[in-house]
Amino acid sequence: MFCNQCEQTAKGTGCTQLGVCGKQPDVAALQDLLIYACQGLACVAHAAAEKGVQDKDTDLFLYKAVFSTLTNVNFDAARFVPLIHKAVELRICMQAKLNPLGVPAPDCDAARFTPAPSDNGDLAGLVKQGETHAINAVDPNADIQSLKQTVIYGIKGVAAYADHAALLGQYDPTVAAYIYEAFAKALRTDLDLGAWVDLAMRCGTANLKAMELLDAGNTGAYGHPVPTAVPIGHRKGKCILVSGHDLKDLETLLKQTEGKGIDIYTHGEMLPTHGYPKLKAYKHFFGHYGTAWQNQIKEFAAFPGAILMTTNCIQKPASAYLPNIFTTGLVGWPGAVHVAGGDFSAVIKRALELPGFTDDLDRGTVNVGFGRNTVMSVAPAVIDAVKAGKIRHFFLVGGCDGAKPGRNYYTEFVEKAPKDTVILTLACGKFRFFDKQLGDIGGIPRLLDIGQCNDAYSAIQIAVALAGAFKCGVNELPLSLILSWYEQKAVAILLTLLSLGIKNIRLGPSLPAFITPNVLAFLVENFNIKPITTPDEDLKAILG
């Protein structure tokens, strides 16, 4: 196997024996084969688009298939088989629509790909095919290969956001059209570096659209987030813990548990959901339990109820809580019960069987709900505070969290940031400091939780609005981005920021293994992107 798509990849180069995330070699091969099958589909779909032929159901399948290969989503080898076959089936159907138009099948191996037999659950043939089409066996030019992987990994993030948006009824065919084009071009070896830089920037543009769609879906269905104090303790009673990112699954579970004497708690990136008016209206939607995804083995083992994983990030469940954990949607782990179709009766049944919390515990609260509507509603006060010198600087400190050493940098950075600075945060990186009491500046909290990773769209809108108010560009604002990354949604967000021309980003805890020195030099020269150093050095460099 070879996989280097996440920040924790082995030895900083790539996992070759077993994924640091727990991914087995057969799963890695099947994920690569699914991407290859989707590239074959993309070759035909891209040709179809040029003839005005487009199919929404194919686009929606594409999102799900690609999303399922993202880090910490699906570890169940058997579930990739129908996706591989479906990609081929849709490719054939799409080509059948083109034949009457005189459009021949694309002349590439991926568009002729036939999956190996997998009778009686024997996946060896498919695994062998996947090993042939590994992600690192594409282009002889290392820099072009680097950019190809950047684009493919970025697309995995785009697909995740587009899939979430589609579940809430938000869809734009231009997102899939970009993916088809980029996937098809990734099979070629005749494109130069300039073409791949362009495709990388356009990946960022496509991701901005996907995040905009998801933002519209979330706020349209559940209202704009409002400032909300979320308990981080617990109360006596039966309980279910919801992790992942999916608001629709959460709402469905809240409806199905209403009146059953079960409290619902969030974990990880589900914390910001407490700020949505329609969700917080449920009286049994009580509080938040635990921290970020990488701590789930310890935290889930101590949780006395059922656990529902709605999207990434799942880790190998310990035997102590395997009977209590359920997956849904695209999430999968061998041995964990998968519930489909929005029917969470098995989860509820298990929660009622388990003891639940036997006491009340008050551990205080944390505040969420500082999306763009909330922040911009106090924009005049923020602007006045900046002009009066009360707010010297804004720091956006966020992104993915992880287990690799060095991430305590972000805790220390926030703790050492001067008291006349404001910390904006989003995604699970916030759990390095989410419960810090930083006070306020003239009634404006110094720590503002914008939301989940996809709420980077909201953060961008805040920055653009502030730039408009100060009559300057975003890069001229007293604003610095201090980002952590782990998986492919972070790659997509970074490409979005770069596509918008945002510069001076500090990235850590380590740079992506798939970025070559030449590609890094390009990013430094054009965007002044830089690795984090130490909190003291970075604060001094930023603030002087």
Side-chain angles (χ1 to χ4, degrees), residues 215-234:
D215 179 85
N218 285 338
T219 58
Y222 309 114
H224 282 276
V226 296
T228 303
V230 183
I232 53 176
H234 59 251

Side-chain angles (χ1 to χ4, degrees), residues 37-53:
C38 286
Q39 286 181 288
L41 169 61
C43 289
V44 179
H46 182 51
E50 293 179 340
K51 292 292 183 179
V53 177

Side-chain angles (χ1 to χ4, degrees), residues 164-170 212-225 246-249 251-252 255 273 275-282:
H164 280 305
L167 291 173
L168 293 168
Q170 298 293 321
E212 179 185 3
L213 292 170
L214 180 51
D215 179 85
N218 285 338
T219 58
Y222 309 114
H224 282 276
D246 198 292
L247 274 65
K248 187 173 183 179
D249 282 338
E251 180 193 29
T252 302
K255 288 179 178 178
T273 61
Y276 286 90
K278 187 172 180 180
L279 298 177
K280 64 183 291 185
Y282 289 90

